[in-house]
Amino acid sequence: MAPELRTERELSLEFLRVTEAAAVAAARTMGQGDRKYSDQVAVEAMREVMDTVPMRGRIVIGEGERDEAPMLFIGEEVGGGFGVGEELAESCPEVDIAVDPLEGTNLCALGANNAIAVLAAAERGGLLHAPDIYMDKIVVGPSSRGVVDIDAPVKENLRNIARRLGRDIEDLTVIVLDRPRHKKLIDDVRSAGARIRLIPDGDLSAGISGGRHKHSRGIGHRRGAGRRTDGGGDQMSERRDSGPPGFRFRKARSGS
């Protein structure tokens, strides 16, 4: 096995430990009604285990800017490759990391489904260093690669997805985050004839469900706007499965 593949494989298992630690810590707070505490224990658990990973990591999407978060802030150096001898440090790969230790804090606090611990990683410079603003996102499965355009009308995208799947628009279900800012999007989807599954929180889980299957059954795609911190996992999902990333940035509006 090539050294690069071996390193990637080993780091994948290490990152599994990191996300597992965050998930287990948060699970112990599930249903207790304190979303901030749920997030806090997930962050602390993830950060503690991350420092045992043999890498020179850098957080590019995290809990916020340096002055907003005590740990896992943007620009923070993580991993076991710092503060060691030069030879040992050189053996640790440089990695860019996007994290959301608890995606769906409200879901966890309420004891609902689809709260997850998220980590995306790539070689240094391989992840988008996104500003802290809203991101319009569209995620589809691999079968619809190349036929959707985030700037195209909703009906046109739905028509193209349905054609690729060999279905009618009426057979598609679009997952949308239930927010006032999505009213026009929801109206456009319904006017086109597709169905909608509105979700209260946790749009990253929705993006994974829409993008992971080659021939999605029922769930056509996920569309909408979310905070930049949710974009890291979407980047990796789209990078692996769906072709060019379907996202763009825009400023948030009050009450949206």
Side-chain angles (χ1 to χ4, degrees), residues 61 115 171:
I61 295 179
D171 296 324

Side-chain angles (χ1 to χ4, degrees), residues 21-46 63 100-112 115-117:
V24 169
R28 295 194 177 106
T29 72
M30 186 181 69
Q32 294 182 358
D34 190 342
R35 65 182 184 85
K36 290 185 177 180
Y37 180 64
S38 296
D39 188 56
Q40 176 188 331
V41 299
V43 170
E44 291 173 351
M46 177 173 280
E63 290 293 285
D100 194 343
L102 181 57
E103 210 277 315
T105 54
N106 287 328
L107 297 175
C108 181
L110 296 173
I116 56 176

Side-chain angles (χ1 to χ4, degrees), residues 152-159 184-185 188-189 192 221 223:
V154 169
K155 188 171 184 178
E156 180 181 329
N157 279 328
L158 291 173
R159 185 188 301 116
K184 184 180 185 306
L185 170 62
D188 289 346
V189 171
H221 72 294
R223 177 75 189 258

Side-chain angles (χ1 to χ4, degrees), residues 7-255:
T7 298
E8 183 175 336
R9 189 172 186 177
E10 291 171 352
L11 282 179
S12 296
L13 295 174
E14 295 286 353
F15 291 146
L16 178 61
R17 288 196 307 113
V18 171
T19 52
E20 182 181 57
V24 169
R28 295 194 177 106
T29 72
M30 186 181 69
Q32 294 182 358
D34 190 342
R35 65 182 184 85
K36 290 185 177 180
Y37 180 64
S38 296
D39 188 56
Q40 176 188 331
V41 299
V43 170
E44 291 173 351
M46 177 173 280
R47 182 64 174 81
E48 180 180 0
V49 178
M50 195 174 287
D51 267 347
T52 69
V53 178
M55 66 173 178
R56 288 173 288 163
R58 178 182 63 184
I59 303 295
V60 296
I61 295 179
E63 290 293 285
E65 302 295 338
R66 180 186 295 268
D67 59 347
E68 298 173 351
M71 59 185 71
L72 297 181
F73 53 81
I74 297 171
E76 184 178 13
E77 294 181 337
V78 294
F82 297 105
V84 296
E86 183 177 345
E87 184 176 347
L88 180 58
E90 287 297 321
S91 69
C92 297
E94 292 184 308
V95 182
D96 278 356
I97 301 170
V99 295
D100 194 343
L102 181 57
E103 210 277 315
T105 54
N106 287 328
L107 297 175
C108 181
L110 296 173
N113 295 327
N114 293 326
I116 56 176
V118 181
L119 185 152
E123 68 281 356
R124 185 58 53 88
L127 285 179
L128 175 68
H129 195 110
D132 190 14
I133 57 177
Y134 274 106
M135 178 190 287
D136 288 319
K137 296 171 275 190
I138 179 171
V139 179
V140 297
S143 59
S144 298
R145 177 175 181 169
V147 302
V148 295
D149 184 340
I150 198 166
D151 294 314
V154 169
K155 188 171 184 178
E156 180 181 329
N157 279 328
L158 291 173
R159 185 188 301 116
N160 291 337
I161 293 169
R163 185 181 297 120
R164 276 292 181 94
L165 294 174
R167 299 164 183 258
D168 296 324
I169 291 180
E170 290 75 13
D171 296 324
L172 300 180
T173 300
V174 182
I175 305 177
V176 181
L177 196 62
D178 189 7
R179 296 291 186 271
R181 62 180 177 268
H182 291 155
K183 183 181 184 304
K184 184 180 185 306
L185 170 62
I186 292 169
D187 291 343
D188 289 346
V189 171
R190 287 174 173 159
S191 295
R195 294 168 292 181
I196 288 179
R197 177 183 296 176
L198 290 174
I199 57 173
D201 292 286
D203 64 338
L204 183 50
S205 293
I208 293 172
S209 70
R212 64 180 297 189
H213 299 297
K214 185 174 182 181
H215 299 291
S216 300
R217 297 192 177 277
I219 305 300
H221 72 294
R222 190 263 281 173
R223 177 75 189 258
R227 294 297 291 178
R228 177 268 307 157
T229 50
D230 296 330
D234 288 328
Q235 286 186 62
M236 297 304 287
S237 175
E238 290 169 344
R239 231 175 114 176
R240 294 181 56 187
D241 296 323
S242 306
F247 57 79
R248 65 188 171 201
F249 298 111
R250 65 179 173 86
K251 293 182 179 179
R253 292 190 298 270
S254 177

